[in-house]
């Protein structure tokens, strides 16, 4: 017994003595933690977050919910690769071109500007006019346009005019194609001969996933997704209700 006690005492004896810390006022300084939940974020950040939460909680009508059905990543990558070939000239390029023309004219030389460049069209009014005249061959809409009323009617117009359309993420990415911060909608009007086979294949896939699924989009509501706490409470209430029913029945 004495040997066991001596062994346990030797085992417990350590050069490291535990020192309990207290994090009360005037006590030990706590370690660094993530204080994101306690920060008063700027108003625009709060509004963005509230907007996202409301879109999940409230029931979203089909006309708005259709913009959550975006193009898959592989097809979108292929589409943007094609659109990059039809980027319009930037402000700097235009300035250089006009400067060259002015210099040539000042020197009394003939200026051959060549054929009209084949570029992608942008701007909601311009694209709408192209759709109404049936000149647009493919319409690309951003999924995060704010306010949504700007483009909410565009899919219906494209279906009526039998023009392929798709919804992609997002307006900033579309803006990069046309040297802008954001762009709500882009449209193909003309194409180069070498891109026609790839474009036709892509258009066929887009028609199947968007134009031909009009009835599905028309009937599918969005939202109604509750938070973790609410889901837990509802499950608890349901559990209690079932337990009460079973108690009444004497089971």
């Amino acid at each position: 017994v004495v040997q066991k006690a001596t062994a346990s005492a030797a085992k417990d004896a350590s050069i490291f003595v535990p020192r309990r810390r207290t994090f009360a006022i005037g006590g030990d300084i706590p370690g660094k933690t993530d204080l994101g939940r306690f920060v008063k974020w700027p108003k625009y950040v709060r509004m963005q977050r509230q907007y996202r939460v409301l879109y999940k909680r409230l029931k979203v009508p089909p006309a708005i919910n259709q913009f959550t059905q975006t193009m898959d990543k592989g097809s979108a990558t292929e589409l943007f690769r094609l659109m990059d070939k039809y980027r319009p000239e930037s402000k700097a390029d235009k300035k250089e071109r006009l400067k060259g023309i002015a210099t040539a004219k000042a020197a009394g030389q003939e200026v051959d500007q060549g054929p009209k460049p084949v570029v992608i069209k942008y701007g909601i009014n311009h694209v709408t006019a192209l759709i109404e005249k049936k000149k647009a061959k493919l319409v690309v809409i951003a999924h995060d346009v704010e306010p949504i009323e700007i483009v909410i009617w565009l899919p219906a117009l494209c279906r009526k005019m039998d023009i392929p359309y798709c919804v992609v993420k997002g307006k900033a990415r579309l803006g990069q194609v046309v040297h802008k911060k954001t762009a709500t909608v882009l449209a193909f009007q003309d194409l180069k001969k070498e891109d026609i086979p790839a474009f036709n294949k892509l258009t066929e896939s887009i028609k199947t996933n968007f134009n031909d699924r009009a009835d599905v989009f028309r009937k599918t509501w969005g939202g109604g997704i509750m938070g973790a706490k609410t889901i837990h409470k509802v499950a608890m209430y349901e559990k209690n209700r079932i337990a009460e029913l079973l108690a009444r029945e004497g089971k």
Side-chain angles (χ1 to χ4, degrees):
V1 176
V2 174
Q3 284 180 351
K4 280 186 179 179
T6 310
S8 64
K11 189 180 178 183
D12 292 340
S14 173
I15 59 170
F16 300 107
V17 181
R19 186 176 67 84
R20 294 193 175 277
R21 294 193 295 169
T22 173
F23 299 117
I25 295 171
D28 295 294
I29 298 170
K32 287 186 178 179
T33 53
D34 181 18
L35 303 175
R37 288 181 64 83
F38 305 101
V39 173
K40 186 173 182 182
W41 294 95
K43 191 173 181 181
Y44 79 95
V45 174
R46 295 201 301 272
M47 286 182 70
Q48 282 173 354
R49 292 178 178 179
Q50 288 164 1
Y51 177 84
R52 296 293 296 166
V53 170
L54 278 175
Y55 251 61
K56 286 181 182 176
R57 303 288 181 268
L58 301 176
K59 285 189 78 178
V60 180
I64 297 173
N65 187 56
Q66 67 179 327
F67 290 96
T68 61
Q69 310 294 321
T70 54
M71 210 171 177
D72 64 274
K73 191 176 178 182
S75 302
T77 305
E78 194 179 332
L79 176 63
F80 276 95
R81 194 181 293 124
L82 186 63
M83 286 197 291
D84 281 339
K85 295 181 182 180
Y86 294 88
R87 296 183 79 184
E89 64 180 354
S90 62
K91 281 187 177 179
D93 293 339
K94 187 177 179 180
K95 189 177 179 182
E96 283 297 316
R97 179 172 58 83
L98 294 177
K99 191 178 177 182
I101 292 169
T103 307
K105 280 186 178 179
Q109 298 171 358
E110 282 289 327
V111 180
D112 182 21
Q113 295 189 23
K116 187 179 178 183
V118 180
V119 294
I120 201 160
K121 307 297 179 183
Y122 64 97
I124 188 70
N125 291 334
H126 187 189
V127 172
T128 304
L130 291 175
I131 295 169
E132 288 173 343
K133 293 171 185 174
K134 293 194 173 183
K135 288 184 178 179
K137 291 183 178 175
L138 174 64
V139 177
V140 185
I141 309 167
H143 84 296
D144 55 349
V145 177
E146 176 62 32
I148 197 70
E149 287 82 2
I150 294 172
V151 293
I152 198 170
W153 44 270
L154 208 52
L157 181 64
C158 289
R159 286 195 295 267
K160 186 179 179 183
M161 294 296 176
D162 196 28
I163 290 169
Y165 79 93
C166 61
V167 179
V168 298
K169 295 179 180 180
K171 62 185 179 183
R173 200 174 171 194
L174 289 184
Q176 283 180 340
V177 176
V178 292
H179 309 289
K180 302 283 181 187
K181 283 185 180 178
T182 58
T184 54
V185 61
L186 305 181
F188 284 94
Q189 186 180 3
D190 298 309
L191 289 152
K192 296 168 186 171
K193 282 185 180 179
E194 62 268 22
D195 294 325
I196 289 174
F199 178 80
N200 289 341
K201 189 179 178 183
L202 189 63
T203 306
E204 195 178 327
S205 166
I206 287 168
K207 267 197 166 185
T208 306
N209 291 324
F210 289 92
N211 293 60
D212 298 345
R213 292 178 65 209
D215 289 334
V216 176
F217 294 148
R218 202 176 287 123
K219 294 173 185 175
T220 308
W221 284 68
I225 303 167
M226 294 295 109
K229 285 192 233 175
T230 306
I231 291 169
H232 180 72
K233 279 185 182 178
V234 169
M236 187 178 69
Y237 294 149
E238 186 63 20
K239 188 180 176 183
N240 292 343
R241 189 183 68 81
I242 291 167
E244 193 178 327
L245 283 172
L246 291 172
R248 283 179 187 174
E249 292 172 4
K251 291 181 181 178

